[in-house]
Amino acid sequence: MEKLLHAILWILEKSPNGRTRLDLAKLLYFSDGVYFQKHAEMITRSRYIHLEDSPYPVNLNEALLFLREKGHIEAFPKVSGNGIQGFSIQFIKPSEGLVLSREEKRVMMKVVEAFRGRVVDENRHYPNLYENYVVTPLFDEIPFNIERINTKIHVFVRKSLLNLSGKVFRVLFERSPE
């Protein structure tokens, strides 16, 4: 739980406009996934489940409650002409003794920079990790294992530019036989 708490705080500290709960869940999932691809272990060591709108760390609600009670984060309503349109979780103050390594922070920064605003087009930024989420049945645990998460680019019906590690590739996708 300690790594999860520090990862949440680190992501929120690097997000000046705050993050929604679902965006935070996705950023944690992609950070863990990218780190797993390089080191065969996860930053937060969380278990993720497939919810209908995002991969979700099982202990995220408990972690947010703890951080709010300790005064590290706060939730603010997003108000528009139509009323309250959700809540933004904002960083208030750091926790003592940050337990994240330099490499963990580097990977998380890469993911946060890929999604400066809302977390959208995940399949464009991290197609293999997005696929790992999508192919997992609803409400099942999303597995993190070497056989399932790799660097393959899977099949979509479109042309696209893909940015991997700062290099831009033109990718032509084909329809897979169904």
Short mmCIF file of all heavy atoms in Angstrom, two decimals, residues 85-141:
data_model
loop_
_atom_site.label_atom_id
_atom_site.label_comp_id
_atom_site.label_asym_id
_atom_site.label_seq_id
_atom_site.Cartn_x
_atom_site.Cartn_y
_atom_site.Cartn_z
N GLN A 85 -19.87 18.38 -12.68
CA GLN A 85 -19.50 17.40 -13.71
C GLN A 85 -18.38 16.49 -13.22
O GLN A 85 -17.41 16.27 -13.92
CB GLN A 85 -19.06 18.14 -14.98
CG GLN A 85 -20.11 19.05 -15.57
CD GLN A 85 -21.32 18.27 -16.04
OE1 GLN A 85 -21.20 17.29 -16.74
NE2 GLN A 85 -22.48 18.71 -15.61
N GLY A 86 -18.48 16.00 -12.01
CA GLY A 86 -17.46 15.12 -11.46
C GLY A 86 -16.58 15.86 -10.46
O GLY A 86 -16.85 17.01 -10.10
N PHE A 87 -15.52 15.18 -10.05
CA PHE A 87 -14.62 15.73 -9.05
C PHE A 87 -13.17 15.61 -9.51
O PHE A 87 -12.81 14.67 -10.20
CB PHE A 87 -14.79 15.00 -7.71
CG PHE A 87 -16.10 15.29 -7.06
CD1 PHE A 87 -17.23 14.58 -7.40
CD2 PHE A 87 -16.20 16.31 -6.12
CE1 PHE A 87 -18.45 14.86 -6.81
CE2 PHE A 87 -17.42 16.60 -5.54
CZ PHE A 87 -18.54 15.88 -5.88
N SER A 88 -12.38 16.57 -9.11
CA SER A 88 -10.96 16.58 -9.41
C SER A 88 -10.21 16.35 -8.10
O SER A 88 -10.45 17.04 -7.11
CB SER A 88 -10.55 17.92 -10.01
OG SER A 88 -9.16 17.98 -10.19
N ILE A 89 -9.31 15.37 -8.12
CA ILE A 89 -8.48 15.10 -6.95
C ILE A 89 -7.21 15.92 -7.10
O ILE A 89 -6.54 15.84 -8.13
CB ILE A 89 -8.16 13.60 -6.85
CG1 ILE A 89 -9.44 12.78 -6.80
CG2 ILE A 89 -7.27 13.33 -5.64
CD1 ILE A 89 -9.23 11.31 -7.00
N GLN A 90 -6.89 16.72 -6.09
CA GLN A 90 -5.75 17.63 -6.16
C GLN A 90 -4.74 17.33 -5.05
O GLN A 90 -5.11 16.99 -3.94
CB GLN A 90 -6.24 19.07 -6.01
CG GLN A 90 -7.31 19.44 -7.00
CD GLN A 90 -6.86 20.49 -7.97
OE1 GLN A 90 -6.03 21.32 -7.66
NE2 GLN A 90 -7.42 20.47 -9.15
N PHE A 91 -3.50 17.52 -5.40
CA PHE A 91 -2.38 17.38 -4.47
C PHE A 91 -2.37 18.57 -3.51
O PHE A 91 -2.50 19.71 -3.94
CB PHE A 91 -1.08 17.33 -5.28
CG PHE A 91 0.17 17.32 -4.44
CD1 PHE A 91 0.63 16.14 -3.88
CD2 PHE A 91 0.89 18.48 -4.22
CE1 PHE A 91 1.78 16.11 -3.12
CE2 PHE A 91 2.04 18.47 -3.46
CZ PHE A 91 2.49 17.28 -2.91
N ILE A 92 -2.22 18.31 -2.21
CA ILE A 92 -2.14 19.38 -1.21
C ILE A 92 -0.74 19.46 -0.60
O ILE A 92 -0.11 20.50 -0.59
CB ILE A 92 -3.19 19.18 -0.08
CG1 ILE A 92 -4.61 19.12 -0.65
CG2 ILE A 92 -3.06 20.26 0.99
CD1 ILE A 92 -5.09 20.41 -1.30
N LYS A 93 -0.25 18.33 -0.09
CA LYS A 93 1.08 18.32 0.52
C LYS A 93 1.70 16.93 0.38
O LYS A 93 1.00 15.93 0.32
CB LYS A 93 1.03 18.74 1.99
CG LYS A 93 0.33 17.76 2.90
CD LYS A 93 0.38 18.20 4.34
CE LYS A 93 -0.27 17.13 5.22
NZ LYS A 93 -0.22 17.45 6.62
N PRO A 94 3.04 16.87 0.33
CA PRO A 94 3.72 15.57 0.16
C PRO A 94 3.67 14.74 1.45
O PRO A 94 3.38 15.25 2.52
CB PRO A 94 5.15 15.96 -0.19
CG PRO A 94 5.33 17.31 0.41
CD PRO A 94 3.98 17.98 0.38
N SER A 95 4.00 13.49 1.29
CA SER A 95 4.12 12.57 2.42
C SER A 95 5.60 12.46 2.79
O SER A 95 6.47 12.68 1.95
CB SER A 95 3.57 11.20 2.02
OG SER A 95 3.70 10.29 3.07
N GLU A 96 5.87 12.11 4.00
CA GLU A 96 7.25 11.93 4.45
C GLU A 96 7.88 10.71 3.80
O GLU A 96 7.21 9.70 3.61
CB GLU A 96 7.28 11.77 5.97
CG GLU A 96 6.78 12.97 6.74
CD GLU A 96 7.64 14.20 6.55
OE1 GLU A 96 8.88 14.07 6.57
OE2 GLU A 96 7.07 15.30 6.37
N GLY A 97 9.15 10.79 3.49
CA GLY A 97 9.92 9.64 3.02
C GLY A 97 9.43 9.01 1.74
O GLY A 97 8.99 7.86 1.75
N LEU A 98 9.50 9.74 0.64
CA LEU A 98 9.08 9.20 -0.65
C LEU A 98 9.84 7.91 -0.95
O LEU A 98 11.07 7.87 -0.89
CB LEU A 98 9.35 10.24 -1.76
CG LEU A 98 8.83 9.90 -3.15
CD1 LEU A 98 7.30 9.81 -3.13
CD2 LEU A 98 9.26 10.95 -4.14
N VAL A 99 9.10 6.85 -1.26
CA VAL A 99 9.71 5.54 -1.45
C VAL A 99 9.86 5.14 -2.92
O VAL A 99 10.16 4.00 -3.21
CB VAL A 99 8.90 4.44 -0.70
CG1 VAL A 99 8.93 4.69 0.78
CG2 VAL A 99 7.49 4.35 -1.24
N LEU A 100 9.68 6.08 -3.82
CA LEU A 100 9.80 5.77 -5.25
C LEU A 100 11.24 5.95 -5.72
O LEU A 100 11.90 6.92 -5.36
CB LEU A 100 8.88 6.67 -6.08
CG LEU A 100 7.39 6.56 -5.77
CD1 LEU A 100 6.62 7.64 -6.51
CD2 LEU A 100 6.87 5.18 -6.14
N SER A 101 11.71 5.02 -6.54
CA SER A 101 13.06 5.12 -7.08
C SER A 101 13.09 6.12 -8.24
O SER A 101 12.05 6.52 -8.77
CB SER A 101 13.53 3.76 -7.58
OG SER A 101 12.83 3.40 -8.76
N ARG A 102 14.27 6.49 -8.63
CA ARG A 102 14.44 7.41 -9.76
C ARG A 102 13.83 6.81 -11.03
O ARG A 102 13.16 7.50 -11.79
CB ARG A 102 15.93 7.68 -9.96
CG ARG A 102 16.23 8.47 -11.20
CD ARG A 102 17.70 8.65 -11.39
NE ARG A 102 17.97 10.06 -11.20
CZ ARG A 102 19.10 10.56 -10.80
NH1 ARG A 102 20.12 9.78 -10.53
NH2 ARG A 102 19.27 11.85 -10.66
N GLU A 103 14.04 5.52 -11.28
CA GLU A 103 13.49 4.85 -12.46
C GLU A 103 11.96 4.80 -12.40
O GLU A 103 11.29 5.01 -13.41
CB GLU A 103 14.07 3.44 -12.59
CG GLU A 103 13.45 2.60 -13.68
CD GLU A 103 13.71 3.08 -15.10
OE1 GLU A 103 14.44 4.07 -15.31
OE2 GLU A 103 13.15 2.47 -16.03
N GLU A 104 11.39 4.54 -11.24
CA GLU A 104 9.93 4.52 -11.11
C GLU A 104 9.35 5.90 -11.41
O GLU A 104 8.35 6.03 -12.14
CB GLU A 104 9.54 4.07 -9.71
CG GLU A 104 9.82 2.60 -9.45
CD GLU A 104 9.72 2.20 -7.99
OE1 GLU A 104 9.86 3.07 -7.09
OE2 GLU A 104 9.54 1.00 -7.74
N LYS A 105 9.97 6.95 -10.89
CA LYS A 105 9.50 8.31 -11.16
C LYS A 105 9.66 8.66 -12.64
O LYS A 105 8.80 9.32 -13.22
CB LYS A 105 10.25 9.32 -10.29
CG LYS A 105 9.88 9.22 -8.82
CD LYS A 105 10.47 10.34 -8.00
CE LYS A 105 11.89 10.03 -7.62
NZ LYS A 105 12.47 10.98 -6.67
N ARG A 106 10.74 8.20 -13.27
CA ARG A 106 10.96 8.47 -14.69
C ARG A 106 9.86 7.83 -15.54
O ARG A 106 9.30 8.47 -16.43
CB ARG A 106 12.33 7.95 -15.13
CG ARG A 106 12.72 8.35 -16.54
CD ARG A 106 13.93 7.59 -17.04
NE ARG A 106 13.68 6.18 -17.25
CZ ARG A 106 12.97 5.69 -18.28
NH1 ARG A 106 12.43 6.49 -19.17
NH2 ARG A 106 12.78 4.39 -18.40
N VAL A 107 9.53 6.60 -15.25
CA VAL A 107 8.48 5.90 -16.00
C VAL A 107 7.13 6.58 -15.77
O VAL A 107 6.37 6.82 -16.72
CB VAL A 107 8.41 4.41 -15.59
CG1 VAL A 107 7.14 3.75 -16.09
CG2 VAL A 107 9.64 3.67 -16.12
N MET A 108 6.83 6.93 -14.53
CA MET A 108 5.55 7.60 -14.25
C MET A 108 5.48 8.97 -14.92
O MET A 108 4.42 9.35 -15.43
CB MET A 108 5.36 7.71 -12.74
CG MET A 108 5.08 6.36 -12.11
SD MET A 108 5.00 6.30 -10.31
CE MET A 108 4.27 7.79 -9.83
N MET A 109 6.59 9.68 -14.99
CA MET A 109 6.59 10.98 -15.66
C MET A 109 6.32 10.82 -17.15
O MET A 109 5.59 11.61 -17.75
CB MET A 109 7.94 11.69 -15.44
CG MET A 109 7.93 13.12 -15.86
SD MET A 109 6.82 14.05 -14.77
CE MET A 109 6.36 15.37 -15.84
N LYS A 110 6.87 9.78 -17.76
CA LYS A 110 6.63 9.50 -19.17
C LYS A 110 5.14 9.28 -19.43
O LYS A 110 4.58 9.79 -20.39
CB LYS A 110 7.45 8.27 -19.58
CG LYS A 110 7.30 7.86 -21.00
CD LYS A 110 8.15 6.63 -21.28
CE LYS A 110 7.86 6.09 -22.65
NZ LYS A 110 8.56 4.85 -22.93
N VAL A 111 4.49 8.53 -18.55
CA VAL A 111 3.07 8.26 -18.71
C VAL A 111 2.25 9.52 -18.47
O VAL A 111 1.34 9.83 -19.24
CB VAL A 111 2.63 7.13 -17.74
CG1 VAL A 111 1.11 6.96 -17.76
CG2 VAL A 111 3.31 5.82 -18.12
N VAL A 112 2.56 10.28 -17.43
CA VAL A 112 1.84 11.53 -17.15
C VAL A 112 1.97 12.50 -18.31
O VAL A 112 1.01 13.15 -18.72
CB VAL A 112 2.33 12.16 -15.82
CG1 VAL A 112 1.81 13.58 -15.66
CG2 VAL A 112 1.92 11.29 -14.64
N GLU A 113 3.17 12.60 -18.90
CA GLU A 113 3.38 13.50 -20.04
C GLU A 113 2.61 13.04 -21.28
O GLU A 113 2.21 13.87 -22.09
CB GLU A 113 4.86 13.63 -20.35
CG GLU A 113 5.60 14.48 -19.35
CD GLU A 113 7.09 14.58 -19.61
OE1 GLU A 113 7.61 13.84 -20.48
OE2 GLU A 113 7.73 15.41 -18.93
N ALA A 114 2.41 11.74 -21.43
CA ALA A 114 1.63 11.24 -22.57
C ALA A 114 0.17 11.66 -22.46
O ALA A 114 -0.52 11.79 -23.48
CB ALA A 114 1.74 9.72 -22.66
N PHE A 115 -0.29 11.89 -21.24
CA PHE A 115 -1.70 12.27 -21.01
C PHE A 115 -1.73 13.55 -20.19
O PHE A 115 -2.10 13.55 -19.02
CB PHE A 115 -2.43 11.15 -20.26
CG PHE A 115 -2.43 9.83 -20.97
CD1 PHE A 115 -1.62 8.79 -20.53
CD2 PHE A 115 -3.23 9.62 -22.08
CE1 PHE A 115 -1.62 7.57 -21.18
CE2 PHE A 115 -3.24 8.40 -22.74
CZ PHE A 115 -2.43 7.37 -22.29
N ARG A 116 -1.35 14.66 -20.79
CA ARG A 116 -1.31 15.94 -20.07
C ARG A 116 -2.70 16.38 -19.61
O ARG A 116 -2.85 16.92 -18.54
CB ARG A 116 -0.69 17.02 -20.93
CG ARG A 116 0.79 16.80 -21.13
CD ARG A 116 1.43 18.06 -21.70
NE ARG A 116 2.82 17.83 -21.97
CZ ARG A 116 3.78 17.95 -21.07
NH1 ARG A 116 3.47 18.28 -19.84
NH2 ARG A 116 5.03 17.74 -21.38
N GLY A 117 -3.69 16.17 -20.46
CA GLY A 117 -5.08 16.50 -20.08
C GLY A 117 -5.76 15.25 -19.57
O GLY A 117 -5.24 14.55 -18.70
N ARG A 118 -6.91 14.96 -20.15
CA ARG A 118 -7.61 13.72 -19.78
C ARG A 118 -6.89 12.51 -20.37
O ARG A 118 -6.17 12.62 -21.35
CB ARG A 118 -9.04 13.78 -20.32
CG ARG A 118 -9.89 14.81 -19.59
CD ARG A 118 -11.35 14.77 -19.98
NE ARG A 118 -11.88 13.42 -19.80
CZ ARG A 118 -12.56 12.76 -20.75
NH1 ARG A 118 -12.77 13.31 -21.93
NH2 ARG A 118 -13.01 11.56 -20.52
N VAL A 119 -7.14 11.37 -19.80
CA VAL A 119 -6.54 10.13 -20.29
C VAL A 119 -7.48 9.56 -21.36
O VAL A 119 -8.48 8.93 -21.06
CB VAL A 119 -6.31 9.11 -19.16
CG1 VAL A 119 -5.66 7.86 -19.71
CG2 VAL A 119 -5.46 9.72 -18.06
N VAL A 120 -7.14 9.86 -22.62
CA VAL A 120 -7.92 9.39 -23.77
C VAL A 120 -6.97 8.80 -24.81
O VAL A 120 -5.77 9.05 -24.76
CB VAL A 120 -8.77 10.52 -24.40
CG1 VAL A 120 -9.85 11.00 -23.44
CG2 VAL A 120 -7.90 11.68 -24.83
N ASP A 121 -7.51 8.02 -25.73
CA ASP A 121 -6.71 7.38 -26.79
C ASP A 121 -5.61 6.51 -26.21
O ASP A 121 -4.49 6.48 -26.72
CB ASP A 121 -6.11 8.41 -27.75
CG ASP A 121 -7.15 9.08 -28.62
OD1 ASP A 121 -8.21 8.47 -28.83
OD2 ASP A 121 -6.89 10.19 -29.09
N GLU A 122 -5.95 5.76 -25.17
CA GLU A 122 -4.95 4.90 -24.55
C GLU A 122 -4.40 3.89 -25.54
O GLU A 122 -3.23 3.52 -25.49
CB GLU A 122 -5.53 4.13 -23.36
CG GLU A 122 -6.05 5.02 -22.26
CD GLU A 122 -7.57 5.17 -22.31
OE1 GLU A 122 -8.10 5.49 -23.39
OE2 GLU A 122 -8.20 5.00 -21.27
N ASN A 123 -5.26 3.42 -26.47
CA ASN A 123 -4.82 2.43 -27.45
C ASN A 123 -3.78 2.99 -28.41
O ASN A 123 -3.03 2.25 -29.01
CB ASN A 123 -6.01 1.84 -28.22
CG ASN A 123 -6.76 2.88 -29.01
OD1 ASN A 123 -6.76 4.06 -28.65
ND2 ASN A 123 -7.42 2.47 -30.06
N ARG A 124 -3.73 4.31 -28.54
CA ARG A 124 -2.70 4.93 -29.38
C ARG A 124 -1.36 5.03 -28.67
O ARG A 124 -0.31 4.82 -29.25
CB ARG A 124 -3.17 6.33 -29.79
CG ARG A 124 -2.36 6.89 -30.93
CD ARG A 124 -2.89 8.24 -31.39
NE ARG A 124 -1.78 9.15 -31.27
CZ ARG A 124 -1.80 10.29 -30.63
NH1 ARG A 124 -2.88 10.70 -30.05
NH2 ARG A 124 -0.74 11.04 -30.56
N HIS A 125 -1.40 5.33 -27.39
CA HIS A 125 -0.17 5.51 -26.63
C HIS A 125 0.43 4.19 -26.14
O HIS A 125 1.64 4.00 -26.19
CB HIS A 125 -0.41 6.42 -25.42
CG HIS A 125 -0.74 7.83 -25.80
ND1 HIS A 125 0.20 8.72 -26.22
CD2 HIS A 125 -1.93 8.48 -25.83
CE1 HIS A 125 -0.38 9.88 -26.50
NE2 HIS A 125 -1.67 9.75 -26.27
N TYR A 126 -0.43 3.30 -25.64
CA TYR A 126 0.04 2.04 -25.06
C TYR A 126 -0.87 0.90 -25.55
O TYR A 126 -1.65 0.34 -24.77
CB TYR A 126 0.03 2.11 -23.53
CG TYR A 126 0.96 3.19 -23.01
CD1 TYR A 126 0.46 4.36 -22.47
CD2 TYR A 126 2.34 3.03 -23.09
CE1 TYR A 126 1.31 5.36 -22.01
CE2 TYR A 126 3.20 4.03 -22.64
CZ TYR A 126 2.68 5.18 -22.10
OH TYR A 126 3.52 6.15 -21.65
N PRO A 127 -0.77 0.55 -26.85
CA PRO A 127 -1.72 -0.44 -27.41
C PRO A 127 -1.66 -1.80 -26.74
O PRO A 127 -2.70 -2.43 -26.53
CB PRO A 127 -1.32 -0.53 -28.88
CG PRO A 127 0.07 0.03 -28.96
CD PRO A 127 0.20 1.01 -27.83
N ASN A 128 -0.49 -2.27 -26.37
CA ASN A 128 -0.39 -3.60 -25.75
C ASN A 128 -0.98 -3.61 -24.34
O ASN A 128 -1.62 -4.57 -23.93
CB ASN A 128 1.05 -4.10 -25.76
CG ASN A 128 2.01 -3.10 -25.15
OD1 ASN A 128 1.77 -1.89 -25.20
ND2 ASN A 128 3.08 -3.57 -24.57
N LEU A 129 -0.79 -2.55 -23.59
CA LEU A 129 -1.36 -2.48 -22.24
C LEU A 129 -2.87 -2.28 -22.30
O LEU A 129 -3.62 -2.83 -21.49
CB LEU A 129 -0.70 -1.37 -21.44
CG LEU A 129 0.78 -1.56 -21.17
CD1 LEU A 129 1.39 -0.33 -20.54
CD2 LEU A 129 1.02 -2.79 -20.32
N TYR A 130 -3.32 -1.49 -23.27
CA TYR A 130 -4.76 -1.30 -23.45
C TYR A 130 -5.40 -2.63 -23.83
O TYR A 130 -6.46 -2.98 -23.33
CB TYR A 130 -5.01 -0.23 -24.52
CG TYR A 130 -6.47 0.06 -24.72
CD1 TYR A 130 -7.19 0.79 -23.78
CD2 TYR A 130 -7.15 -0.40 -25.84
CE1 TYR A 130 -8.53 1.06 -23.94
CE2 TYR A 130 -8.49 -0.13 -26.02
CZ TYR A 130 -9.18 0.60 -25.07
OH TYR A 130 -10.51 0.86 -25.24
N GLU A 131 -4.74 -3.37 -24.71
CA GLU A 131 -5.27 -4.68 -25.10
C GLU A 131 -5.34 -5.62 -23.90
O GLU A 131 -6.31 -6.36 -23.74
CB GLU A 131 -4.40 -5.31 -26.19
CG GLU A 131 -4.91 -6.69 -26.58
CD GLU A 131 -3.91 -7.48 -27.39
OE1 GLU A 131 -2.71 -7.21 -27.29
OE2 GLU A 131 -4.36 -8.37 -28.11
N ASN A 132 -4.34 -5.60 -23.04
CA ASN A 132 -4.34 -6.44 -21.84
C ASN A 132 -5.58 -6.16 -20.99
O ASN A 132 -6.18 -7.07 -20.44
CB ASN A 132 -3.06 -6.20 -21.04
CG ASN A 132 -2.86 -7.21 -19.94
OD1 ASN A 132 -3.06 -8.40 -20.12
ND2 ASN A 132 -2.48 -6.71 -18.78
N TYR A 133 -5.97 -4.89 -20.91
CA TYR A 133 -7.19 -4.51 -20.18
C TYR A 133 -8.43 -4.99 -20.91
O TYR A 133 -9.31 -5.62 -20.33
CB TYR A 133 -7.20 -2.99 -19.98
CG TYR A 133 -8.56 -2.38 -19.76
CD1 TYR A 133 -9.27 -2.63 -18.59
CD2 TYR A 133 -9.14 -1.57 -20.72
CE1 TYR A 133 -10.52 -2.07 -18.39
CE2 TYR A 133 -10.39 -1.00 -20.52
CZ TYR A 133 -11.08 -1.26 -19.36
OH TYR A 133 -12.32 -0.71 -19.16
N VAL A 134 -8.50 -4.73 -22.21
CA VAL A 134 -9.71 -5.01 -22.99
C VAL A 134 -10.01 -6.52 -23.06
O VAL A 134 -11.17 -6.92 -22.98
CB VAL A 134 -9.59 -4.41 -24.42
CG1 VAL A 134 -10.69 -4.90 -25.33
CG2 VAL A 134 -9.60 -2.90 -24.34
N VAL A 135 -9.00 -7.34 -23.22
CA VAL A 135 -9.25 -8.78 -23.37
C VAL A 135 -9.55 -9.48 -22.04
O VAL A 135 -9.98 -10.63 -22.04
CB VAL A 135 -8.07 -9.51 -24.09
CG1 VAL A 135 -7.85 -8.92 -25.46
CG2 VAL A 135 -6.81 -9.47 -23.26
N THR A 136 -9.36 -8.80 -20.94
CA THR A 136 -9.70 -9.37 -19.63
C THR A 136 -11.20 -9.25 -19.42
O THR A 136 -11.76 -8.17 -19.61
CB THR A 136 -8.95 -8.63 -18.50
OG1 THR A 136 -7.55 -8.71 -18.75
CG2 THR A 136 -9.27 -9.23 -17.14
N PRO A 137 -11.88 -10.32 -19.04
CA PRO A 137 -13.33 -10.24 -18.80
C PRO A 137 -13.68 -9.21 -17.72
O PRO A 137 -12.90 -8.97 -16.79
CB PRO A 137 -13.70 -11.65 -18.35
CG PRO A 137 -12.61 -12.52 -18.89
CD PRO A 137 -11.37 -11.68 -18.87
N LEU A 138 -14.85 -8.62 -17.86
CA LEU A 138 -15.33 -7.61 -16.93
C LEU A 138 -15.31 -8.15 -15.50
O LEU A 138 -15.72 -9.28 -15.24
CB LEU A 138 -16.76 -7.20 -17.32
CG LEU A 138 -17.34 -5.98 -16.64
CD1 LEU A 138 -16.51 -4.74 -16.95
CD2 LEU A 138 -18.77 -5.76 -17.10
N PHE A 139 -14.80 -7.37 -14.57
CA PHE A 139 -14.68 -7.65 -13.13
C PHE A 139 -13.67 -8.75 -12.80
O PHE A 139 -13.61 -9.20 -11.66
CB PHE A 139 -16.04 -7.96 -12.50
CG PHE A 139 -17.03 -6.85 -12.68
CD1 PHE A 139 -18.21 -7.06 -13.37
CD2 PHE A 139 -16.77 -5.58 -12.19
CE1 PHE A 139 -19.12 -6.03 -13.56
CE2 PHE A 139 -17.67 -4.55 -12.37
CZ PHE A 139 -18.85 -4.77 -13.06
N ASP A 140 -12.87 -9.18 -13.77
CA ASP A 140 -11.78 -10.12 -13.49
C ASP A 140 -10.51 -9.33 -13.19
O ASP A 140 -10.38 -8.16 -13.58
CB ASP A 140 -11.51 -11.02 -14.70
CG ASP A 140 -12.39 -12.26 -14.71
OD1 ASP A 140 -13.31 -12.35 -13.87
OD2 ASP A 140 -12.14 -13.13 -15.56
N GLU A 141 -9.57 -10.00 -12.53
CA GLU A 141 -8.27 -9.38 -12.29
C GLU A 141 -7.50 -9.32 -13.60
O GLU A 141 -7.47 -10.28 -14.36
CB GLU A 141 -7.48 -10.18 -11.26
CG GLU A 141 -6.16 -9.54 -10.92
CD GLU A 141 -5.42 -10.24 -9.80
OE1 GLU A 141 -6.01 -11.06 -9.10
OE2 GLU A 141 -4.22 -9.93 -9.64
#
